[in-house]
Amino acid sequence: MTTTDSHGGEPPLFGPGSQFDEFFNDPRWALAIVRATVLEAAHPQIGAALVDNSTFVAHPWRRLHNTFLSLQRMFGADDAVREREAKRLNRLHARLSGADARDRPYDAMDPHVRAWVVATLFESTVAMCRFSGQPLEQTTMERLYTEFQAYLAALGDQAGHLPPTLQEFWPYFDRMVEELEDTEALRIILYKLFDHLPAPALLEGLPTVWAAGRAVAGPVLGAITVASLPESLRRRAGLPDFPGARTLAQSAYLAMGLARFLPDGWIQADVLAGLLAMSPDSDDPRARTVAAVRDGIKRAGALVRLITPIPAQPETAAPGGGRSAEEFFRTVLDQTGDGYLDWPDLAAMAREVCGRLDLEEPAETMLYNAFAAWWKELQGALDSDGDGRISAEEYAAATPGLAGPALIKLADVLFDATDADGNQSIDADEYRALFRTCFQRDMTDAAGTYSRSAFVKDFLSFTAGRRPSRAYDPLFAQA
């Protein structure tokens, strides 16, 4: 079922013809999303939830791809897809609660918190037009605001969590900005993420080239973002005010806005986000094209190393090569990037699998429960100092004995979730749903399918952490 025009010729709230649809593939929106994320991170509850649970530091490109996919589903024309995505988001948010370093509780289902997330997206979209010298007309803003209100309503939130009119929104936004803080999450985004942004999967073979570009782009992106924030937040958080930064921000928005005049189809936000998250081993033709370009750049890497002060970094290990327990801990297990393994890391793995397979209840809960049981098994076996989490040293000291009953059970549950038709084997379509790449023929049995025993064996081999996996590394390890 699709959204239809039921308001006497008024534009639809979702899908083609909506105001949001016109902005979705606007390249300026990339900067607006970053700005909105910083405004969210400065909210005490959201900032605490991000630090405790989010993978945005260790896996930013995967997070970007998933965010664009979710927005595409929620703002698309299909009502059934939107309802399904809203239920998924609500289940995800219901699992995110806790307390910050000052023992203040946070809950991702708090309606006022959810309203602030939507408010930052709307206000940052308006701001991007203002910064690029093309401020929205009043009627356009009102239409866009109505669409974001409908987005919040689609999540099941009652009216009133956002002001009912655009005129009332701006005092609300100003009041909320005054309640924002200099949170740890805000600092991580501005001063760690931009400066240490990992390379997307397709460029992992060019560490020196990536580092050289990041050394220039990271600080510039940080300065643009800071300059675009409300002045009161910048002052309260003690953010630097570089001379000319606001002019730089306006120039960046204006320059990116010029890309809107490229031929239709050249700029597709979801396609670009998917490309950045794509594995180098993907059978997608775009991956092969990028890989060919990457190989050409790689041959020029020696010259880049000669003219830059950035030290050379080790190349990614080739498939089939060994890796240390510490590397497996850092790239696979520590999903949040905080240097420790605890439940949020394994919950992030569960979220990624559930998202790829588009699981609904009860399969989603079964998978989460299996990951939770594995976490308890790991904690009981490896948490030698009893601090409730596992360090890289604790993990490395006990890696050989990790294949316990809970992990084996997890492998079985993961197989059942992937085996969508329940015929006790994984075919090419089911394989692609999980791994986003072609069927690996070397994994198949005599019948040409991926059997339960082979799947469980490969998963346990991967979790042993000693050798890279062409299948599982893109699922759990890539940024």
Side-chain angles (χ1 to χ4, degrees):
M1 180 175 65
T2 59
T3 300
T4 58
D5 185 350
S6 60
H7 300 285
E10 292 182 7
L13 293 173
F14 301 107
S18 67
Q19 187 62 56
F20 179 85
D21 188 66
E22 296 181 19
F23 285 128
F24 187 74
N25 289 312
D26 191 319
R28 297 174 298 173
W29 214 55
L31 294 176
I33 284 287
V34 173
R35 180 180 182 276
T37 301
V38 172
L39 288 172
E40 294 169 23
H43 187 287
Q45 284 200 58
I46 300 174
L50 286 173
V51 168
D52 287 349
N53 300 281
S54 180
T55 62
F56 74 98
V57 173
H59 302 277
W61 301 112
R62 188 177 76 193
R63 170 72 184 272
L64 176 66
H65 175 264
N66 292 341
T67 297
F68 272 106
L69 180 60
S70 179
L71 287 170
Q72 187 179 45
R73 290 170 175 172
M74 288 296 296
F75 280 96
D78 195 312
D79 292 340
V81 170
R82 180 164 46 257
E83 182 179 355
R84 184 184 181 100
E85 178 65 9
K87 290 179 178 179
R88 185 191 72 84
L89 290 173
N90 286 334
R91 292 195 304 269
L92 185 156
H93 292 154
R95 294 185 172 98
L96 303 179
S97 60
D100 65 10
R102 294 163 57 181
D103 205 29
R104 295 179 297 181
Y106 66 81
D107 182 354
M109 287 297 288
D110 185 324
H112 299 289
V113 171
R114 285 151 65 97
W116 176 242
V117 172
V118 176
T120 64
L121 289 170
F122 166 73
E123 190 275 340
S124 291
T125 306
V126 173
M128 82 175 187
C129 296
R130 185 176 69 251
F131 288 135
S132 54
Q134 296 177 321
L136 296 177
E137 296 180 354
Q138 183 71 15
T139 55
T140 303
M141 275 195 292
E142 290 176 350
R143 177 182 166 194
L144 184 64
Y145 185 60
T146 300
E147 292 174 8
F148 275 98
Q149 286 177 307
Y151 168 71
L152 191 60
L155 291 173
D157 287 28
Q158 298 177 359
H161 298 136
L162 275 178
T165 67
L166 180 61
Q167 184 178 6
E168 295 169 279
F169 172 81
W170 298 116
Y172 155 81
F173 182 82
D174 292 339
R175 289 195 306 271
M176 289 296 299
V177 168
E178 293 304 316
E179 296 178 11
L180 301 182
E181 299 178 0
D182 182 16
T183 64
E184 181 183 356
L186 181 147
R187 292 281 169 174
I188 288 174
I189 294 173
L190 293 179
Y191 300 116
K192 180 179 179 180
L193 181 59
F194 290 157
D195 289 345
H196 302 280
L197 186 69
L202 286 177
L203 298 179
E204 283 182 349
L206 301 168
T208 305
V209 174
W210 176 258
R214 183 182 58 195
V216 175
V220 171
L221 182 56
I224 291 172
T225 303
V226 169
S228 70
L229 295 174
E231 182 180 354
S232 62
L233 175 60
R234 298 201 311 268
R235 183 175 60 253
R236 193 162 57 257
L239 299 177
D241 188 9
F242 299 108
R246 191 161 183 88
T247 300
L248 174 64
Q250 293 172 336
S251 300
Y253 276 94
L254 179 60
M256 294 189 71
L258 295 177
R260 291 176 298 149
F261 299 103
L262 292 172
D264 291 342
W266 281 37
I267 301 294
Q268 295 289 331
D270 55 333
V271 173
L272 293 175
L275 183 63
L276 290 172
M278 191 178 295
S279 166
D281 289 330
S282 172
D283 59 325
D284 191 299
R286 297 171 300 168
R288 292 195 292 268
T289 300
V290 174
V293 174
R294 181 188 61 187
D295 290 342
I297 298 175
K298 201 171 183 178
R299 287 192 289 269
L303 176 61
V304 173
R305 287 191 289 270
L306 286 174
I307 62 177
T308 63
I310 301 173
Q313 301 179 18
E315 299 289 337
T316 303
R323 63 179 165 194
S324 68
E326 290 82 359
E327 182 185 358
F328 181 76
F329 182 94
R330 175 179 56 82
T331 59
V332 176
L333 295 178
D334 183 14
Q335 291 283 306
T336 60
D338 64 355
Y340 292 91
L341 171 63
D342 54 13
W343 167 239
D345 296 300
L346 298 193
M349 292 185 182
R351 285 200 303 272
E352 182 64 17
V353 172
C354 290
R356 290 195 178 202
L357 297 178
D358 198 19
L359 296 182
E360 293 188 279
E361 294 289 13
E364 182 181 281
T365 295
M366 290 178 63
L367 189 66
Y368 268 92
N369 289 343
F371 270 99
W374 184 34
W375 163 239
K376 291 181 179 178
E377 185 174 77
L378 287 170
Q379 189 179 28
L382 305 182
D383 182 17
S384 58
D385 61 8
D387 65 352
R389 57 186 184 176
I390 299 168
S391 66
E393 293 75 16
E394 289 173 326
Y395 172 80
T399 301
L402 289 182
L407 179 57
I408 296 172
K409 174 65 174 177
L410 171 58
D412 271 324
V413 173
L414 181 56
F415 176 87
D416 290 335
T418 307
D419 179 22
D421 58 12
N423 68 349
Q424 298 303 306
S425 65
I426 294 175
D427 60 26
D429 291 336
E430 292 166 339
Y431 187 95
R432 178 177 288 280
L434 180 62
F435 296 114
R436 292 178 179 165
T437 190
C438 60
F439 205 42
Q440 300 295 329
R441 296 296 176 183
D442 56 343
M443 296 179 172
T444 60
D445 54 20
T449 60
Y450 199 10
S451 67
R452 179 184 294 270
S453 60
F455 183 95
V456 170
K457 178 182 177 182
D458 289 339
F459 181 74
L460 296 179
S461 176
F462 167 73
T463 54
R466 295 309 190 188
R467 307 184 76 83
S469 166
R470 290 179 61 193
Y472 287 101
D473 274 1
L475 175 59
F476 293 125
Q478 288 178 350

